[in-house]
Amino acid sequence: MLLPLPARRHGVAVLAFEGMAPFELGCVVEFFGLPRPELDVPWYDLRVCAETLEPLRVVGGFTLQAAHGLDVLAGSDTVIVPGVADVRGPVSGALVSALRAAHARGARMVSICSGAFALAAAGLLDGREVTTHWKYADLLQERFPAVRVNPSVLYVDGGDVLTSAGSAAGLDLLVHLVRSDHGPNVANAVARRLVIPPHREGGQAQFIQAAVTPVEDDDAVARAMAWALEHLAEPLSVADLAGVAHMSERSFIRHFKRQTGTSPLRWVISQRVAASLAMLESTAAPVEEIGASVGFESPVTFRHHFTRAMRTSPSAYRKAFSA
């Protein structure tokens, strides 16, 4: 009698480099390198890769040594770039070639924080909506104008390419990767082991409003945003928001774009989609009713904007993420 072959493990490669901060690397190792036999699913095969196999000096006054080179990175199923040494400096040709080769093979490409600069240098972010740490967002947009940078989300799932904001947002994205691969129950179990929430307040979504640069309590744009969040179910126009901010529409749009990186109406749509997630996850209310309750004028409009933002339909999202 032939015994079934063991399931092939998903290969994950994470990049190590000279001068890196070890936090993001440690998070990746904790998620994908620690055996989890209690979960009864084929866990990941993690490889730490670098351009050199010589010891690398990292922030904190110690060294680490990768066991694998860029050839292993290029051949992995998921490639994670946890940062770059210098957001203003060039990315080596060897790394660019390895990233392009991995993507061409069909690998899932992932960046944490400033790692987006490496993916952008390889041309993998052109024409995409992506994110990075808010303090690097303007520079990423300036250096790579073909990329659409959204600084107000924790992470963006573009299917084959995923990007996250600052270091802690990488945890949100790593939970999302596990959830995508193994479902919500496994992701929740891993999150409990790490003593972190399985998703942030507002739902386990690709687009989640992030805490960016603090604004003053009397900031007119912030006041309009807070008002909009309390009135999502109502029709909202730029004129309405500008009125709350006591600005002309043109001035409000300019100030809003400068502070959030997006337009008022796009922001409202993203908040309505985000508000629908918890209801899709935790209630049995019809999709049409949920869309109306967060301010979409018709079921067709709700499905259109939801699918555009989340890369899936409301019904498929509910099936994947409902408790």
Side-chain angles (χ1 to χ4, degrees), residues 45-131:
D45 180 15
L46 176 68
R47 308 291 177 91
V48 178
C49 304
E51 291 190 48
T52 174
L53 301 187
E54 297 299 317
L56 302 168
R57 292 171 296 178
V58 300
V59 173
F62 63 96
T63 63
L64 62 85
Q65 189 167 9
H68 306 280
L70 295 182
D71 57 330
V72 171
L73 181 143
S76 297
D77 301 309
T78 292
V79 173
I80 302 178
V81 183
V84 294
D86 181 4
V87 293
R88 298 184 182 277
V91 176
S92 76
L95 179 56
V96 165
S97 295
L99 294 174
R100 288 175 176 170
H103 184 254
R105 287 184 54 260
R108 180 172 57 182
M109 310 300 291
V110 179
S111 70
I112 300 174
C113 196
S114 64
F117 285 80
L119 298 187
L124 305 185
L125 303 187
D126 288 356
R128 296 177 182 267
E129 183 167 359
V130 305
T131 195

Side-chain angles (χ1 to χ4, degrees), residues 5-44:
L5 293 174
R8 176 186 174 276
R9 293 197 293 164
H10 184 99
V12 176
V14 60
L15 179 71
F17 52 90
E18 182 86 5
M20 75 182 307
F23 176 78
E24 293 89 345
L25 175 64
C27 291
V28 174
V29 172
E30 182 74 18
F31 265 85
F32 302 116
L34 184 67
R36 301 186 184 278
E38 73 279 5
L39 297 178
D40 196 30
V41 294
W43 207 239
Y44 301 88

Side-chain angles (χ1 to χ4, degrees), residues 1 26 34 38 63 123 126 148 186 240 246 261 268 282 298 300:
M1 178 179 179
L34 184 67
E38 73 279 5
T63 63
D126 288 356
R148 293 181 288 117
V186 171
D240 295 328
H246 303 297
V268 167
S282 60
S298 72
V300 172

Side-chain angles (χ1 to χ4, degrees), residues 19-306:
M20 75 182 307
F23 176 78
E24 293 89 345
L25 175 64
C27 291
V28 174
V29 172
E30 182 74 18
F31 265 85
F32 302 116
L34 184 67
R36 301 186 184 278
E38 73 279 5
L39 297 178
D40 196 30
V41 294
W43 207 239
Y44 301 88
D45 180 15
L46 176 68
R47 308 291 177 91
V48 178
C49 304
E51 291 190 48
T52 174
L53 301 187
E54 297 299 317
L56 302 168
R57 292 171 296 178
V58 300
V59 173
F62 63 96
T63 63
L64 62 85
Q65 189 167 9
H68 306 280
L70 295 182
D71 57 330
V72 171
L73 181 143
S76 297
D77 301 309
T78 292
V79 173
I80 302 178
V81 183
V84 294
D86 181 4
V87 293
R88 298 184 182 277
V91 176
S92 76
L95 179 56
V96 165
S97 295
L99 294 174
R100 288 175 176 170
H103 184 254
R105 287 184 54 260
R108 180 172 57 182
M109 310 300 291
V110 179
S111 70
I112 300 174
C113 196
S114 64
F117 285 80
L119 298 187
L124 305 185
L125 303 187
D126 288 356
R128 296 177 182 267
E129 183 167 359
V130 305
T131 195
T132 186
H133 194 293
W134 59 263
K135 71 177 181 178
Y136 300 139
D138 289 343
L139 180 60
L140 182 64
Q141 188 67 80
E142 177 185 330
R143 288 192 60 192
F144 303 99
V147 177
R148 293 181 288 117
V149 181
N150 185 345
S152 61
V153 295
L154 291 179
Y155 60 94
V156 176
D157 182 344
D160 57 333
V161 178
L162 302 91
T163 55
S164 75
S167 302
L171 292 170
D172 296 282
L173 181 51
L174 297 180
V175 173
H176 174 70
L177 292 176
V178 173
R179 184 187 304 118
S180 299
D181 293 339
H182 298 293
N185 291 337
V186 171
N188 291 347
V190 173
R192 284 195 298 270
R193 287 288 300 272
L194 295 173
V195 198
I196 60 174
H199 57 85
R200 298 287 185 102
E201 185 70 21
Q204 46 199 22
Q206 288 96 320
F207 289 78
I208 309 175
Q209 184 181 358
V212 292
T213 311
V215 295
E216 300 298 327
D217 290 340
D218 61 351
D219 181 273
V221 171
R223 185 169 61 248
M225 293 169 75
W227 178 85
L229 291 175
E230 295 176 356
H231 296 81
L232 281 180
E234 305 170 15
L236 295 175
S237 67
V238 174
D240 295 328
L241 298 175
V244 174
H246 303 297
M247 293 182 182
S248 69
E249 289 187 42
R250 179 177 296 181
S251 179
F252 178 74
I253 291 171
R254 184 175 67 253
H255 283 277
F256 194 98
K257 175 73 172 180
R258 188 174 65 221
Q259 290 189 205
T260 68
T262 189
S263 71
L265 292 183
R266 286 189 65 187
W267 178 81
V268 167
I269 288 170
S270 70
Q271 297 307 306
R272 284 173 166 158
V273 170
S276 74
L277 300 179
M279 287 183 277
L280 289 168
E281 294 168 12
S282 60
T283 77
V287 168
E288 295 77 7
E289 182 179 313
I290 291 174
S293 71
V294 296
F296 287 106
E297 60 186 17
S298 72
V300 172
T301 302
F302 176 43
R303 289 189 175 92
H304 168 76
H305 288 298
F306 191 99

